[in-house]
């Protein structure tokens, strides 16, 4: 084990930004744990994971990657970086090598979020428009953040960041949980990712699992202490 306390690198998922980690960051800083939360491009699994891996590689000392939602797929791939010593999944996808999010999600009944996605287009370097998705604002509170105060969800819905639709079809190039220890928090009342998807991935990865029965997909916002405590467990186990 390293004698240096790991730095926690928080990776947000789709329909959110790094600000969604604010409560968790405050808790971790209160524990004296070094933490950063970089922006996630949300343009594709391979390119986004490469971005996160590059951030991790530039941190001196060991790193624990924490991924929420789609961010779980990114840490699964980026976690292969040499200085990554642990993975923490928060209401997240935990894919296998060669598996896409669409394939993983397709093993189970789809969550309500799927029927409330709104399509947009964005320009690409080649000139052809590509599709990205957000959650319809009127459905956002119920499917993403049912346990968050209404005045907060209105802001989150307005500020959500879109995910490139093609990201659901990209296979994970590797699965770092095969060689790195992992922890997982299952949001028991998640309407964005079926909790069964979360449980399946966590069990397959051999993760240490904590389940919060009434937690929504926005569990990092609604229950930051519980999320931070699981991350602290990972820090203690790898320090």
């Amino acid at each position: 084990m390293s004698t240096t306390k790991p730095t926690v690198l928080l990776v947000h998922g789709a329909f959110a930004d790094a600000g969604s980690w604010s409560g968790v960051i405050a808790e971790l800083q209160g524990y004296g744990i070094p933490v950063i939360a970089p922006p996630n491009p949300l343009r594709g699994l391979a390119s986004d994971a490469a971005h996160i891996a590059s951030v991790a590689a530039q941190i001196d000392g060991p790193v624990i990657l924490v991924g929420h939602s789609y961010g779980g797929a990114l840490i699964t791939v980026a976690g292969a970086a040499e200085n990554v010593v642990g993975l923490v999944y928060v209401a997240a996808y935990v894919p296998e090598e060669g598996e896409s999010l669409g394939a993983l999600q397709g093993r189970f009944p789809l969550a309500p979020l799927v029927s409330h996605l709104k399509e947009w287009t964005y320009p690409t370097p080649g000139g052809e428009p590509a599709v990205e998705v957000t959650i319809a604002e009127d459905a956002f509170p119920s499917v993403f953040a049912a346990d968050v105060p209404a005045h907060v969800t209105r802001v989150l819905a307005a500020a959500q960041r879109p995910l490139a639709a093609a990201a659901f079809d990209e296979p994970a190039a590797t699965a770092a949980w095969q060689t790195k220890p992992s922890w997982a928090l299952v949001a028991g009342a998640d309407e964005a990712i079926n909790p069964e998807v979360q449980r399946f991935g966590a069990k397959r990865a051999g993760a240490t699992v904590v389940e919060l029965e009434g937690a929504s997909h926005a569990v990092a916002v609604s229950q930051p202490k519980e999320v931070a405590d699981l991350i602290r467990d990972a820090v203690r186990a790898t320090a």
Side-chain angles (χ1 to χ4, degrees):
M1 291 187 180
S2 171
T3 57
T4 303
K5 183 179 290 186
T7 295
V8 172
L9 196 164
L10 302 170
V11 182
H12 69 81
F15 321 124
D17 60 22
S20 61
W21 292 114
S22 295
V24 175
I25 292 170
E27 293 286 342
L28 293 175
Q29 289 176 337
Y31 295 142
I33 296 172
V35 55
I36 64 170
N40 177 356
L42 301 177
R43 297 296 82 175
L45 199 162
S47 61
D48 293 343
H51 173 72
I52 296 303
S54 73
V55 176
Q58 294 174 71
I59 296 173
D60 291 331
V63 172
I64 289 178
L65 293 180
V66 181
H68 173 246
S69 190
Y70 166 69
L74 304 188
I75 70 169
T76 295
V77 177
E82 185 175 347
N83 64 329
V84 173
V85 296
L87 309 168
V88 181
Y89 296 91
V90 179
Y93 292 108
V94 189
E96 172 64 278
E97 181 177 346
E99 184 176 50
S100 70
L101 300 187
L104 172 56
Q105 191 166 260
R107 292 172 176 264
F108 302 91
L110 295 177
L113 173 143
V114 176
S115 61
H116 294 287
L117 292 176
K118 182 178 180 180
E119 291 191 355
W120 306 75
T121 60
Y122 65 96
T124 65
E128 291 295 320
V131 176
E132 60 186 8
V133 291
T134 59
I135 302 170
E137 286 193 33
D138 60 347
F140 188 95
S142 63
V143 302
F144 196 90
D147 57 351
V148 176
H151 71 279
V152 176
T153 60
R154 285 194 294 269
V155 174
L156 296 177
Q160 61 180 301
R161 291 184 54 209
L163 173 67
F168 288 104
D169 298 320
E170 285 189 60
T174 189
W177 50 258
Q178 293 179 344
T179 57
K180 309 284 176 79
S182 61
W183 291 257
L185 187 150
V186 174
D190 201 327
E191 298 283 284
I193 300 177
N194 186 334
E196 288 300 325
V197 174
Q198 301 173 38
R199 295 184 189 107
F200 172 80
K203 181 178 180 180
R204 183 171 60 179
T208 299
V209 178
V210 170
E211 180 157 348
L212 299 181
E213 185 175 344
S216 76
H217 194 59
V219 62
V221 178
S222 63
Q223 301 192 51
K225 185 180 186 303
E226 288 76 6
V227 174
D229 284 347
L230 181 62
I231 296 170
R232 184 168 64 160
D233 289 344
V235 170
R236 285 171 169 170
T238 55

